[in-house]
Structure formats: structure tokens, C-alpha cells
Amino acid sequence: MKTCQMLALCTVMLFTQVRSQDKDFGATISEVFVPLGEAVWLNCSTPKPNQTFYDSRLYKNQTKRGPNWLAVEVIVLDWQNSTCVCMLDTGDRQLISHTQVMAYALPSDVTIDLQTELEEGKEYTINCTVHEVAPLEYLTINISRGGDVIDTISYEGPHVVNRRNVSHLHTFTARRSDNLKDFSCEAILRLGSEVHTVKSTEITVQTYTLPEVPVINVKKWIENGTSFTAECLLANGFPPQNVSLKMVFEDTLLNVIPVTTNEGTVKGTTQLSADFSDLGHKTIRCEAHLFILSMESRVNVNIYELPTVDLSLSEYTVNLEENVTATCQSTNIDPGPYGLTISVDGKEEKTGQTSVTHTFTASQRTPSLPVTCTAYITENTNISQSTTQDLEVHYPPSNPNVTVLTNETIRLGNPVNITCSSDGLPAPTYSWLVPDNAEVTYSPDKSLVIIHTAAATHAGTYTCVVRNAHGEVEAKQEVTIAPDDFNRRLLIGIVCGVGALVLLATIISLVRYIGWKNDRKGFYALWRKTPDQRHKNGNIPEPPTNSTSCV
């Protein structure tokens, strides 16, 4: 420190320690800190400067006196604390005042040691070192994060001579909130009224984490010759913008561009074409990298060829209860991963590999019996290929059903239809046996008998005969024609006539009643022409004695 600066320091008035009650005497400062090797002026107020002197072990470079003061310049050459005594001796009394002189050295440097990339959840240590500082009993070390002090330590006596290097360690758990925060150390020397601060450089850290393994989304079964999409997702990686994804199919590195979603998930997508010569199980791998961390996941996919099948029947047209043999074969070059199934009319009958033969009896009365051969992948039966042959089964007609179609009881003059239906293959033919002299017509296939106007000759038995190459069956239907009853019609006429007479009498009585009512209203209208008499005193007067009324 320069001499003029030290002189100004010495002029600052602090508490003065004296051994007398003389306020005009005493050192102007009780303690002073001086950089090692530098000089400082000590000042003492005194009424008799010529009888005043300084006593100190420190080297006194020069002394000055004024009208009421004494100043001495001393040089601090070692680390020992020194007491300088200002003394006034008048013979009959002695005045003494002390000044403590202490050497110090500001740190030559303050350094911080901390990794710049921190994994979330792990512990890290900050090493803060203060270099060549003295004395330690006045030193405080602060460790800051983002401008906030997170740890502090202050050193206390005893007094230690010479400069020293001192370190302070602080351990903390890395969090996401530490990301991009500045960490620093500072050394503070509190020397009396002076405070000296020396700071380290700032270290900006990045925190990161890969708490979850990447997830691969891809179809597990892929048909050879088709294109498909593989997707890799990494959730909760931090910071997501620093995550890199790599996808590999077997030994082939895929082109993947990571994209960060709004939720912070990193997604990589790639398109592949399943045109590989080797079928079977393949591996897709996804690697997530973040600084020194990496995670990997794998999934297996299956490249397959769709199975192909061939189905043949020993017969394609058979009669009921005849045997048929179905042969099902896989035409794939590699039959290993495939299975075969033969189904008849939707029911699984037999399974196997490479080739399956099944003999069955055509026992169902159905014109078309489906026979199906299905080839499937044994590890995934949902992937299959089928072919179907329809077996035509011939059978005799079933018992026919004969019905009479009419809207009312069959009476003379009514139209009538009589129908006959039966199941059979080949389609059966129809013929009828009808009553003698019954005039009827037939539909083109003769399954319908048409009677346009029922007559008595149409009553009797109608027999439907159904035939095909495999047999003949018949069914009968009795038809009864109700007579046209004259008495019934006469009774209806009488009832209608009586009803008409009653209606006429009712109308006449109604007309007479209406006329009577009108006459009665006319009488009361004439009599009530004097309302004042009628309502006088709240009483209704009696009608005249000569009046006439109808009740």
C-alpha cells in the first residue's frame, strides 16, 4: 500500500487506549492492518510533541512532529503482531497509548473445482481453494450457486504466521434446477473496518438424466416385401435437446432424426422395407445417449412370407351320405413355420403340416357344402391364408309343405291359391292330384294351384307330388267350400231394415223436441219484458194468473 494511503489511514480516529484522563493525548487508531513488507504511519495526539516518542519493535523509518501531534513511519517486515506504544513523560506523570499493527496478505488466487456435467440424483463435491492468504483468523469462504450462497465457513484463531493455502469442500446432490447455473467461490478478509473480497471464476454446469429406457414401437410381424415404420421414444430425459437416438436393424444403422415433443419426450422415427432374403426373427435396437450416459432397448420382429395353399376334392358333386376326400397342401418353399387345417362347413376337422388329407361323409342336406383349407404361421395363428371349394350335395326332396292361401273362409265365388314347397337337390318337380271336375290352373313350375272362382266342384283332396332323381314324396290338403246361405243374407237384410226404421223414428222425435223447446223460449221472452218488476227488492214476482207454461 502506498505511503500516502497509509498516512490517510492513520488519520482515522478510532477508540484511543490511554492510561490517563488527558483527552489531548493518545494514538489516533487502536489497530491497523498492513500488507507484509509495506510501511504505515502511526499518529499520536500530544500536547507536548517534543516530550513524546513511539516505542516499537518495528523498524522506524522516519519520525515527524507537529504543534500537537507525533507521527512515526514503521515498516512491517514479518507476520508477528506488534504493539506500538506512544508515550508522553513529563517527569511528574507518564501517558501511554497503544496501536496494534498486524500484517496481512490478500489471496493470490481463489479457485473452484467442479465437474461441468452433473447427473441428476448423484452427489458431487465442490472444492474451493484460497491461495496464499494470511491471517486465517479473519478469513471467510462462501460457495455460491446462481448468485445465492449455499455454504459458508469462517476461520478463527489462533494466529498463524505466514501465508497459507486453505480449501473448503461442499457436497451436494445434483438436481434439474442446477442446470445452467453458475457456481463460484469467494474469499473474504474482514480487517477491522475494511473488507477485502477475492472471487473465483464461475463454472456453468449442465445437469442431465436418463431415468428410463427407450421404448420401441414397431409391428412384431412384418410381411416380406412391405414397408413399415419403427419408432423409438425416450421419456423424461433431461435436457431433452441434448438427447441423441440411434436405431439399428440387425447390423444396419438406420437414419433417425430425433424430435422433441411438447411433453419433453424425444421421438425418433425411421422407415424400413422388409425385402430381406433371410426370413425369421430380426432385432431392432435403439440407443439413447446423453453426455456420458447411454441406455439401450431391443425388440424382436418376425419377417414372414404369407402362406399359400392348394385344396383339391376327390369329388365336387356327390349324393347324400357319399364319402369325399379333401387334400390340403402348403406350396411354400419352407414349410417349417406353417400349419394346415381342413374345415368342413366352418368346423375344423383335421390339422397338420405340409399336407393334410381328410375323408368325410356328405351327410348334410345342403346344396353347397364349403370345404376350406387354411395355412397359418404356427407362432402367430392370426396370420393365415385360406382357399375354399364348394361341394355340391344331391339329396331327395324333403316332406313337402302344402298351404291354402285366402283372406277369408273359402266360399262359393272366392279365389283360392294352394301352394306346395319342398327342399331337394337337384331341384324337385311338382305335380298335383285334384278333385274330379275341378277347374284349376297352375304356376309355371306347378308348385301353385290357382282357383279363380270357387265352386262346389273344387271341394275335396288336393295331393302335391314332389320328385327328383333321388326320390318322391307327397302331401295332401283338404279343401272345403262353404255354401252361399240365402237365410243368412235374408237375416242381414232384415237387420238392416229394422235399423233404418229405428233411425227414422229417432230423427222424427228429435225434430219435435227441438220445436217444443223453441216455443217455450218464445213465451219466456215475452213475459220478461219488464225487468224492473222482476228484480225489485231482490224478489222475482210470480207470473200472471192467466199465464200458461209447458213443463
Side-chain angles (χ1 to χ4, degrees):
M1 184 178 294
K2 296 180 179 180
T3 302
C4 60
Q5 292 174 325
M6 294 305 301
L7 185 60
L9 176 65
C10 292
T11 61
V12 178
M13 298 299 296
L14 296 176
F15 174 77
T16 304
Q17 181 182 1
V18 298
R19 294 186 179 178
S20 72
Q21 302 299 323
D22 194 338
K23 297 182 179 179
D24 296 331
F25 176 81
T28 58
I29 188 169
S30 60
E31 64 178 10
V32 63
F33 294 89
V34 184
L36 182 68
E38 296 189 7
V40 62
W41 282 92
L42 304 179
N43 190 32
C44 183
S45 298
T46 176
K48 297 180 180 181
N50 294 329
Q51 297 178 357
T52 305
F53 64 93
Y54 261 103
D55 184 20
S56 174
R57 73 174 188 84
L58 298 177
Y59 175 76
K60 290 181 284 188
N61 189 34
Q62 55 182 319
T63 301
K64 294 183 179 180
R65 288 180 171 83
N68 55 359
W69 55 271
L70 170 67
V72 62
E73 182 186 41
V74 296
I75 300 176
V76 180
L77 299 176
D78 57 51
W79 293 104
Q80 296 293 336
N81 293 339
S82 300
T83 302
C84 297
V85 181
C86 178
M87 301 179 62
L88 172 60
D89 190 357
T90 61
D92 56 348
R93 63 175 181 167
Q94 188 179 52
L95 302 179
I96 299 174
S97 180
H98 301 88
T99 300
Q100 185 80 5
V101 179
M102 294 165 282
Y104 76 91
L106 294 179
S108 62
D109 194 11
V110 177
T111 58
I112 181 172
D113 184 16
L114 175 63
Q115 290 182 229
T116 58
E117 296 174 352
L118 312 179
E119 183 179 355
E120 182 184 21
K122 285 192 174 182
E123 287 190 347
Y124 293 89
T125 298
I126 302 173
N127 185 1
C128 187
T129 302
V130 180
H131 300 267
E132 297 182 317
V133 63
L136 290 185
E137 60 263 34
Y138 301 105
L139 175 66
T140 297
I141 299 177
N142 290 335
I143 299 178
S144 299
R145 174 180 57 197
D148 298 326
V149 176
I150 59 174
D151 192 20
T152 185
I153 183 173
S154 295
Y155 295 86
E156 298 179 354
H159 179 69
V160 179
V161 300
N162 212 339
R163 296 180 177 90
R164 295 189 60 185
N165 296 338
V166 60
S167 295
H168 177 56
L169 303 179
H170 174 69
T171 301
F172 69 102
T173 300
R175 301 172 297 177
R176 293 192 183 191
S177 58
D178 295 328
N179 190 48
L180 301 181
K181 291 291 180 64
D182 295 327
F183 287 75
S184 63
C185 298
E186 64 178 0
I188 302 174
L189 275 180
R190 292 183 172 85
L191 307 175
S193 60
E194 296 185 10
V195 178
H196 300 272
T197 301
V198 180
K199 291 186 176 182
S200 70
T201 57
E202 293 183 340
I203 293 180
T204 303
V205 302
Q206 284 186 307
T207 55
Y208 61 93
T209 183
L210 283 179
E212 301 176 20
V213 296
V215 177
I216 301 174
N217 295 324
V218 65
K219 294 190 302 183
K220 299 302 187 295
W221 290 87
I222 303 165
E223 184 179 357
N224 193 19
T226 63
S227 297
F228 64 99
T229 300
E231 182 182 73
C232 182
L233 299 175
L234 180 72
N236 209 28
F238 182 84
Q241 64 269 19
N242 294 104
V243 174
S244 63
L245 296 178
K246 182 172 73 173
M247 296 184 71
V248 179
F249 184 86
E250 290 294 291
D251 295 326
T252 302
L253 181 64
L254 305 176
N255 183 26
V256 177
I257 299 177
V259 175
T260 302
T261 67
N262 293 334
E263 298 78 17
T265 297
V266 182
K267 177 174 69 175
T269 305
T270 186
Q271 289 288 123
L272 297 95
S273 179
D275 54 0
F276 313 103
S277 58
D278 294 331
L279 302 176
H281 299 293
K282 303 294 179 180
T283 300
I284 295 179
R285 187 172 77 254
C286 179
E287 298 176 4
H289 298 274
L290 180 60
F291 298 124
I292 63 172
L293 297 180
S294 64
M295 284 192 172
E296 176 184 291
S297 61
R298 299 168 178 253
V299 297
N300 290 328
V301 297
N302 300 274
I303 309 299
Y304 70 90
E305 281 187 341
L306 195 66
T308 56
V309 291
D310 179 67
L311 173 64
S312 62
L313 303 179
S314 60
E315 302 289 342
Y316 291 90
T317 302
V318 296
N319 296 329
L320 193 65
E321 302 302 331
E322 287 186 351
N323 291 336
V324 179
T325 299
T327 301
C328 179
Q329 292 181 324
S330 172
T331 59
N332 288 77
I333 297 176
D334 181 10
Y338 305 112
L340 295 172
T341 297
I342 292 180
S343 301
V344 179
D345 197 23
K347 180 181 179 183
E348 184 178 299
E349 298 291 350
K350 195 171 184 179
T351 61
Q353 289 184 324
T354 308
S355 179
V356 179
T357 301
H358 174 60
T359 300
F360 62 96
T361 301
S363 59
Q364 301 182 54
R365 296 176 63 88
T366 178
S368 180
L369 186 64
V371 181
T372 302
C373 176
T374 302
Y376 57 88
I377 295 179
T378 54
E379 294 184 23
N380 187 354
T381 57
N382 293 322
I383 301 176
S384 62
Q385 188 84 328
S386 299
T387 184
T388 299
Q389 297 286 350
D390 290 327
L391 176 65
E392 186 175 300
V393 181
H394 289 187
Y395 49 90
S398 61
N399 295 328
N401 181 31
V402 180
T403 58
V404 178
L405 301 180
T406 181
N407 294 330
E408 58 186 11
T409 303
I410 303 174
R411 299 189 181 279
L412 291 174
N414 288 351
V416 181
N417 290 339
I418 305 172
T419 62
C420 182
S421 61
S422 178
D423 179 34
L425 194 67
T429 61
Y430 297 88
S431 62
W432 292 85
L433 298 176
V434 301
D436 294 340
N437 301 321
E439 293 184 3
V440 298
T441 59
Y442 301 96
S443 64
D445 64 351
K446 292 188 177 183
S447 64
L448 175 63
V449 174
I450 303 171
I451 301 174
H452 296 283
T453 303
T457 56
H458 288 113
T461 302
Y462 288 75
T463 302
C464 175
V465 181
V466 184
R467 300 183 183 88
N468 72 0
H470 303 287
E472 175 183 311
V473 291
E474 63 179 37
K476 299 179 183 297
Q477 175 66 47
E478 289 293 328
V479 175
T480 302
I481 305 299
D484 187 7
D485 191 351
F486 173 76
N487 293 331
R488 179 180 60 84
R489 287 181 290 169
L490 178 60
L491 178 61
I492 293 174
I494 293 173
V495 172
C496 291
V498 172
L501 290 175
V502 172
L503 178 61
L504 180 59
T506 302
I507 293 173
I508 293 172
S509 298
L510 181 60
V511 170
R512 292 184 65 187
Y513 175 75
I514 294 172
W516 172 79
K517 290 291 287 182
N518 289 336
D519 290 340
R520 184 177 178 86
K521 288 182 179 178
F523 168 77
Y524 280 107
L526 291 175
W527 180 72
R528 293 175 181 171
K529 288 185 178 179
T530 57
D532 295 338
Q533 296 179 358
R534 184 173 172 82
H535 294 281
K536 188 176 182 180
N537 299 324
N539 297 321
I540 300 175
E542 295 295 329
T545 56
N546 60 351
S547 63
T548 304
S549 63
C550 295
V551 180

